[in-house]
Amino acid sequence: MIKASVFLSALFLAAQSVSAAEIGSNVQPLSFGKDQTIVDIGKAVWGPLKVEGLPEGGEIAVLRGDLSKGDAEVLLRFPPGYVVPNHSHTSDEVYLWLSGAFTLVAHDGTRTAFNGPAYISFPGNAPPHGLECGAAAPCVLYLKYSRPFDIQYFPEPPPKR
């Protein structure tokens, strides 16, 4: 009886520590009804961002949905100096840049620097663009895709400014 009690206590404590760490994360979001997703961004569980053509070092945390099916929302985290090459998607994209300075490189080579949070919205098949995370700190952004994820790369435009 004591062994069973000790075993159940240990099991309960183990379950509590795992649940406490994950409840509210993107792995185990809170929800109070159908189609509700509530995630504590501080508890996000990150994994490596593995997309052909992107450099290593980026990370992803899927908040909701499935990138292969569309209507997905993710967090991306890039180390300082990370470069997303000139590209486009067939899906609409909505970015909310949460932290870190970055430069948006437009299809014509125009470079626009941002020192903090920014909102970016591109329709599907928008002209190609690139992103460069600043050198001082990591970059974190929210990204929403309306259609299944795809990416097409284009040659880098010559810099304009």
Side-chain angles (χ1 to χ4, degrees), residues 51-160:
V51 175
E52 187 176 333
L54 289 183
E56 291 184 12
E59 296 176 292
I60 187 170
V62 177
L63 299 173
R64 188 184 68 77
D66 180 337
L67 285 167
S68 69
K69 296 178 182 175
D71 198 26
E73 298 173 77
V74 302
L75 290 175
L76 296 178
R77 182 166 59 190
F78 301 134
Y82 191 89
V83 175
V84 177
N86 198 32
H87 70 282
S88 187
H89 306 276
T90 56
S91 177
D92 299 335
E93 297 176 276
V94 174
Y95 293 82
L96 185 56
W97 207 276
L98 302 172
S99 66
F102 72 99
T103 299
L104 175 68
V105 182
H107 66 284
D108 66 356
T110 301
R111 301 171 62 81
T112 306
F114 293 83
N115 287 318
Y119 170 82
I120 303 169
S121 177
F122 290 125
N125 298 308
H129 57 279
L131 299 164
E132 299 173 359
C133 183
C139 293
V140 178
L141 60 134
Y142 160 87
L143 185 55
K144 180 177 181 173
Y145 289 101
S146 61
R147 298 185 193 125
F149 176 83
D150 65 354
I151 189 165
Q152 182 179 0
Y153 297 99
F154 295 86
E156 295 298 319
K160 278 201 165 180

Side-chain angles (χ1 to χ4, degrees), residues 17-81:
S17 63
V18 169
S19 296
E22 291 185 359
I23 290 177
S25 74
N26 54 312
V27 174
Q28 191 176 349
L30 293 175
S31 178
F32 301 107
K34 186 176 191 264
D35 295 328
Q36 292 185 9
T37 303
I38 303 164
V39 175
D40 178 341
I41 301 303
K43 293 182 179 181
V45 178
W46 298 90
L49 177 63
K50 295 183 180 184
V51 175
E52 187 176 333
L54 289 183
E56 291 184 12
E59 296 176 292
I60 187 170
V62 177
L63 299 173
R64 188 184 68 77
D66 180 337
L67 285 167
S68 69
K69 296 178 182 175
D71 198 26
E73 298 173 77
V74 302
L75 290 175
L76 296 178
R77 182 166 59 190
F78 301 134

